[in-house]
Structure formats: structure tokens, C-alpha cells
Amino acid sequence: MKKLLWSLTVFGVILILPVNGVLEFDKMERLPDFNGTNVYQTENNVYSKAKPTMVELTFVKNPVERSAVCLDGSPSGYHFHPGSGSGAKNWIVQFEGGGWCGTIEDCVNMKKTSHGSSKYMEKQIPFTGILSDKAAENPDFYNWNKVKVRSCDGGSLMGDNENKDAKLQFRGKRIWTAVMVDLMTFNGLREAKQALLSGCSTGGLAAILYCDNFKWYYPKGKVKCLSDAGLFLDATDVAGDRPLRNLYRDLIQLQSVTTQLSNECLKRLNPTSCFFAQNLINQVNTSLFILNAAYDSWQAKSLTPKSADPNGSWSDCRLNIAKCNASQIKFLQGFRTHMVNLISGFTKPSKNGVFINSCFTHCQTENQDTWYSKNSPAVKNKRIAVAVGDWYFERRGAKLIDCAYPCDKTCRNEVVE
């Protein structure tokens, strides 16, 4: 079987599975990129027809001197779009979903991609969904300053180490610090009155890990955090193994992550367990919103690897939930139950928000169709963008947990051919 690094991206379907630190799959399949003009519908039935704003890549200042570099030593970067009007002092900082690497081999492979080197990054990217600058597409945050921090460190921006023999730099922590300092010094982030730290997938985990740190920069400002598809569970796969636990253990050791982890968590659990969001969310002091699909399509694939399915009985189901048989649906229902039970304590504080829909997908904030459009997924008739806005601005409660599959007819379930 061909070995590849595991990549998570807002535009891609993630199909590479971890086995003892080595991430396996035959190929990486991708959804079509967002391209061109789409039509969206607002709450008042008003349509918007516009192409997404393309935003330039900016490199951090003096990256080598600050060691704020990607896996291959190239400069780390971000995309910045300025706010306007009433949003000129408000900020969204979004972590890109990118990938993890827990072995030298995987990290060497990753540095040959945009998730390990800025040499391969797009010079411009579209800002859509929560990053859109159009009121009809993003009613609560359209005129805010927006930043997308690129993922190129292989460790959810938590590492601080290097491997000279393999010419690898694990500098996620320094990338985060450098981006924050640059934005505060040159772009006005220091004067932020309201701010939201968010992220998708591995970036969604980073939003949880850095939430209280982000709040520390603005002790008097209104600061909250949003994790989209970052609730990776320490779950058992169909063969009884725990693939993510193996990957996290290797990553933490390789990238020297332990010293960056929550001290409160480390008093109770080992470092590997403290990289799982399920063991962190109840200790986050800052207001946090968890957005996740109950049948997260990436996690569903990771729990049904080909190595544990030699007869291929999961081949169709793992790519399309509509093709699952009764026993497979039962397994996936168990995963959903596990997720819902784990967040039960998190939902109790009034400061927190939750949107768990019963969809088969991964990452929903940056995709316009799922964030805010005519047919966006909804729970109790509330769409994702509306729920997040209600929570952030404290208009009303936003603790929404969907009924079990297949009850939700608003889902835009992921289907991979």
C-alpha cells in the first residue's frame, strides 16, 4: 500500500489513515475547489451573486531570525484582509486545516507540499464562508478584519524542535507567536475590541489549544474561540486499535510538544491524552464554541482503515454513509453517542456554544454552502452562521445537538466517488 502523509484541508476530502505513526492510503482524493460565481440566499430571501475575494499571502517578518518557519525552513505565512466600518476594530483569526506528521518519513514527505513548505502555497486564496467580506454570505462578521494562518508545521502549531539530519523544523509555536506579533505591530490587532479565534480540522484543534493564550493578549476585550471539526476523539477503530493515539504519541515526542500542553491537563493525564480535545474543552476558561459533524467523515474513515478491513466490507460505507449496512450504521451511531456523551459537561456553562449536526462531512465554516446559504445545514431551523452569531453576540443560546442519522434532511453529506 502506498504510504502518504495525512493531509487535512478545507478544500479536500481527507482519506489518509494513521497506523502506528505511519499514515496510509492509496491516494488522496479531493473535492472540487471553490471556483467562480455562486448564488447564496440571505435570511430575508435576498440573493447575493458575487465572486469570492482573493487574498494575498503575506510572509512573517524576519522568519529565519525568529525561527518562524515551515517544516522545510521556508517562511511561514498568513492571508490578511482588512475590516471596514463598524468592523474595523474587530478580528477573526482562522487556523488553516493542514495535517499532522509523527515520523521523520511523514514529515519529509509533508515538506514537499503546501502543508510543509510555503514554496508550494497558493499566492492568493478565496475568502469564503466565515471569512467572506459580503454581508449576504456572512452577516455577522463580513466587515471584520480577517486572517487565515497557513498550516505548514505538521503539529497544530504546537511544536518547538528541529531535526538537523532530516533538515526538518518543527516551529509551530514560534509561527503562532510571530504571526500574532506581526499582526499587532503592523495591522492593528493590538487595538482589537472584539476577536474570534477559529480553525478547521487540525486548525480547529489548534483553536482549542491556543484559546486561553489568545485571550491573554486581550484581557479587557471580548474574545471567544470557535473549533470547527477539531473534536478528534480517542476512539477505537473497527479492529480495536486507537490510531490517533499512536499518531499523537509520536508527534508529541518528535516535535517536543509536551511543554506547550495544558499544565492543568498534565496534572491528570499523560501528554498524549492532553492532545485530545475531549480532555481539554472543559478546562478552557475562554468562551468556546464546538462545531462538529456527529458522523465526521474524516474520523469515520480513520476508524475503518483498509488494514483493518481486508475484505473491503467498509469500502462503500466509509466514502458514502448512504451505502452503510445496518451493522455499520450501528458502529457509526456508537461514535455519535460517544461524542455527545463527551461534550455533555461542556454544554452546561452558559459561556459555551455547541452545534453538533448529524451530517457526514468535515469542516463547515469556510465552505459557503455549509456556512450560510439557502440550503445550509440546520439544527432546529438554525443554520451554522446564525448559531455562531447568536452565541458570539449573546443574542440567545446556541447549544444545538441534532437527532441521530438519518433524521436531518438539511445535511450536505460528503460523497466521494
Side-chain angles (χ1 to χ4, degrees), residues 246-284:
N246 296 329
L247 172 61
Y248 284 0
R249 179 198 62 222
D250 294 342
L251 184 158
I252 288 167
Q253 181 176 356
L254 181 65
Q255 300 202 27
S256 296
V257 170
T258 300
T259 55
Q260 323 308 330
L261 295 172
S262 163
N263 289 328
E264 187 66 29
C265 183
L266 291 173
K267 292 176 183 178
R268 302 177 291 109
L269 300 168
N270 61 48
T272 299
S273 297
C274 290
F275 206 69
F276 280 99
Q278 67 190 60
N279 299 320
L280 301 171
I281 55 177
N282 290 336
Q283 277 70 55
V284 174

Side-chain angles (χ1 to χ4, degrees), residues 319-338:
L319 302 182
N320 184 349
I321 195 171
K323 295 184 178 181
C324 298
N325 61 36
S327 64
Q328 292 166 339
I329 289 293
K330 183 178 180 180
F331 177 85
L332 295 176
Q333 299 291 25
F335 178 83
R336 172 190 176 274
T337 299
H338 185 38

Side-chain angles (χ1 to χ4, degrees), residues 55 62 75 90 100 141 168 199-200 266 326 368 381 387 402-404 407:
V55 181
N62 304 314
N90 302 332
W100 295 307
F141 306 105
L168 287 168
C200 154
L266 291 173
Q368 195 63 55
N381 296 317
D402 213 349
C403 50
C407 75

Side-chain angles (χ1 to χ4, degrees), residues 32-86:
D33 284 354
F34 184 88
N35 56 352
T37 303
N38 277 5
V39 176
Y40 309 114
Q41 185 184 43
T42 70
E43 196 74 39
N44 296 317
N45 231 23
V46 177
Y47 287 89
S48 166
K49 188 174 183 179
K51 291 194 175 186
T53 298
M54 302 299 292
V55 181
E56 296 280 346
L57 175 66
T58 299
F59 294 123
V60 299
K61 309 292 184 185
N62 304 314
V64 176
E65 292 86 341
R66 301 158 82 184
S67 296
V69 294
C70 301
L71 287 172
D72 69 336
S74 61
S76 57
Y78 58 90
H79 302 259
F80 167 66
H81 184 68
S84 61
S86 62

Side-chain angles (χ1 to χ4, degrees), residues 80-375:
F80 167 66
H81 184 68
S84 61
S86 62
K89 298 289 187 180
N90 302 332
W91 287 75
I92 290 179
V93 177
Q94 172 94 347
F95 291 127
E96 179 186 28
W100 295 307
C101 60
T103 67
I104 293 296
E105 179 184 2
D106 285 342
C107 294
V108 167
N109 287 332
M110 183 177 274
K111 74 176 185 177
K112 301 171 186 176
T113 75
S114 64
H115 295 309
S117 171
S118 59
K119 296 175 183 177
Y120 302 98
M121 290 180 184
E122 309 93 322
K123 302 310 177 188
Q124 291 184 328
I125 61 171
F127 268 25
T128 58
I130 197 172
L131 297 178
S132 173
D133 62 351
K134 299 166 181 63
E137 301 172 4
N138 188 22
D140 282 315
F141 306 105
Y142 72 95
N143 63 350
W144 286 32
N145 296 279
K146 300 181 188 73
V147 180
K148 185 167 184 177
V149 183
R150 297 303 296 264
S151 170
C152 67
D153 66 299
S156 287
L157 293 173
M158 292 294 285
D160 194 9
N161 196 9
E162 66 179 337
N163 187 295
K164 293 182 179 179
D165 292 338
K167 298 181 180 180
L168 287 168
Q169 295 289 322
F170 306 112
R171 301 300 187 185
K173 178 186 176 183
R174 300 190 188 208
I175 292 173
W176 164 246
T177 301
V179 169
M180 286 296 292
V181 170
D182 284 5
L183 291 172
M184 294 175 73
T185 304
F186 303 108
N187 299 102
L189 181 57
R190 190 184 305 276
E191 285 78 42
K193 293 182 178 180
Q194 298 185 109
L196 176 64
L197 181 67
S198 60
C200 154
S201 194
T202 58
L205 176 59
I208 295 171
L209 291 164
Y210 276 108
C211 186
D212 285 338
N213 176 265
F214 188 63
K215 172 64 176 175
W216 178 83
Y217 284 95
Y218 312 101
K220 296 181 180 180
K222 182 176 183 178
V223 175
K224 298 189 178 187
C225 306
L226 164 63
S227 172
D228 176 13
L231 190 60
F232 295 94
L233 303 187
D234 185 12
T236 303
D237 68 17
V238 292
D241 296 324
R242 294 182 181 269
L244 269 185
R245 185 180 293 182
N246 296 329
L247 172 61
Y248 284 0
R249 179 198 62 222
D250 294 342
L251 184 158
I252 288 167
Q253 181 176 356
L254 181 65
Q255 300 202 27
S256 296
V257 170
T258 300
T259 55
Q260 323 308 330
L261 295 172
S262 163
N263 289 328
E264 187 66 29
C265 183
L266 291 173
K267 292 176 183 178
R268 302 177 291 109
L269 300 168
N270 61 48
T272 299
S273 297
C274 290
F275 206 69
F276 280 99
Q278 67 190 60
N279 299 320
L280 301 171
I281 55 177
N282 290 336
Q283 277 70 55
V284 174
N285 295 315
T286 307
S287 182
L288 175 64
F289 192 102
I290 298 294
L291 166 63
N292 230 92
Y295 309 92
D296 185 287
S297 58
W298 186 86
Q299 294 192 66
K301 298 179 186 78
S302 74
L303 296 176
T304 58
K306 290 185 176 181
S307 59
D309 182 35
N311 297 322
S313 61
W314 280 88
S315 297
D316 292 332
C317 173
R318 67 198 299 271
L319 302 182
N320 184 349
I321 195 171
K323 295 184 178 181
C324 298
N325 61 36
S327 64
Q328 292 166 339
I329 289 293
K330 183 178 180 180
F331 177 85
L332 295 176
Q333 299 291 25
F335 178 83
R336 172 190 176 274
T337 299
H338 185 38
M339 179 181 293
V340 171
N341 289 341
L342 282 171
I343 65 170
S344 61
F346 173 80
T347 63
K348 293 178 181 178
S350 60
K351 66 182 178 68
N352 294 335
V354 174
F355 191 103
I356 305 292
N357 55 5
S358 291
C359 302
F360 187 73
T361 189
H362 185 77
C363 284
Q364 302 178 81
T365 53
E366 287 189 55
N367 184 323
Q368 195 63 55
D369 287 338
T370 50
W371 173 248
Y372 192 75
S373 68
K374 179 180 179 180
N375 299 310

